[in-house]
Each structure stands twice: as structure tokens, then as C-alpha cells.
Amino acid sequence: LASHPSLFLTPSIRSMSTREERMAEMAANKGKQSHPRKATGASISPSSAVGLFYASEGGTTKEIAERISKMIDVEHFNIEDVEDAKDLAKYDYLIVGTPTH
């Protein structure tokens, strides 16, 4: 997923622990999260909020955003639903996925 050309991930998100470690952590913490999620990446403070936003025309980018959202346990939002820049201001880090043509 990280190699998808339309997804721009911060280095700290890309360098998170292995998939197996993330899956085990997610299983152990299921139901314990509050939104926006606090990141646990190597160089991201545990108190940092991460937002995943996407734009999708054919549905592929939305599908990828949903999969990433589940993998790293953050909410995902369609960028078209953002009404004001203030909606983004509550996040310390943004993950943005866009379609390519």
C-alpha cells in the first residue's frame, strides 16, 4: 500500500513497526481508541493526532484509504467533506491520498 503512487505518507508512518507487530497491537487495543487517534510511530509523539484524508473518483483511492485506516487504526475522511481548514488543524500529521490519471 505504501508504494501506491497517489499516497503520500510521512516517513514516520512508513517506518512504523512490521505489519505483524501492528496487527498484534491493533488486536490488543481494539475498542480502546479515542478519535482522533494518537500516533505511535517511531518519531511521532504518542500524543500526536493523525488524520487520513483521500479524494477518489473511481473508488480505488477510497479503498486504499480504508485499508490503510484499518492497518494503522486511524479514521479516514473524504477530503470533499472538509468544509474549512480548521477541520484539519486538530491533526498534527496528515496522510493524503489522491487519484492519479
Side-chain angles (χ1 to χ4, degrees):
L1 295 174
S3 65
H4 191 278
S6 66
L7 296 172
F8 302 98
L9 304 178
T10 63
S12 54
I13 295 295
R14 265 197 313 259
S15 64
M16 288 177 69
S17 56
T18 67
R19 182 177 188 277
E20 292 79 18
E21 290 170 331
R22 289 191 308 272
M23 296 300 283
E25 181 183 351
M26 285 172 39
N29 293 324
K30 191 168 185 107
K32 295 180 183 178
Q33 76 178 37
S34 62
H35 295 282
R37 181 173 184 267
K38 303 302 179 186
T40 58
S43 62
I44 296 178
S45 165
S47 63
S48 298
V50 177
L52 191 157
F53 294 85
Y54 68 91
S56 188
E57 292 180 7
T60 303
T61 307
K62 178 181 179 182
E63 179 183 324
I64 297 297
E66 290 170 347
R67 292 167 67 185
I68 292 172
S69 174
K70 288 179 184 176
M71 285 178 60
I72 63 174
D73 198 22
V74 298
E75 288 186 291
H76 62 282
F77 305 93
N78 187 326
I79 197 70
E80 293 180 9
D81 295 335
V82 175
E83 296 180 13
D84 190 87
K86 292 177 186 176
D87 295 338
L88 304 175
K90 65 182 174 183
Y91 297 100
D92 299 306
Y93 296 92
L94 299 176
I95 301 171
V96 179
T98 61
T100 57
H101 300 278

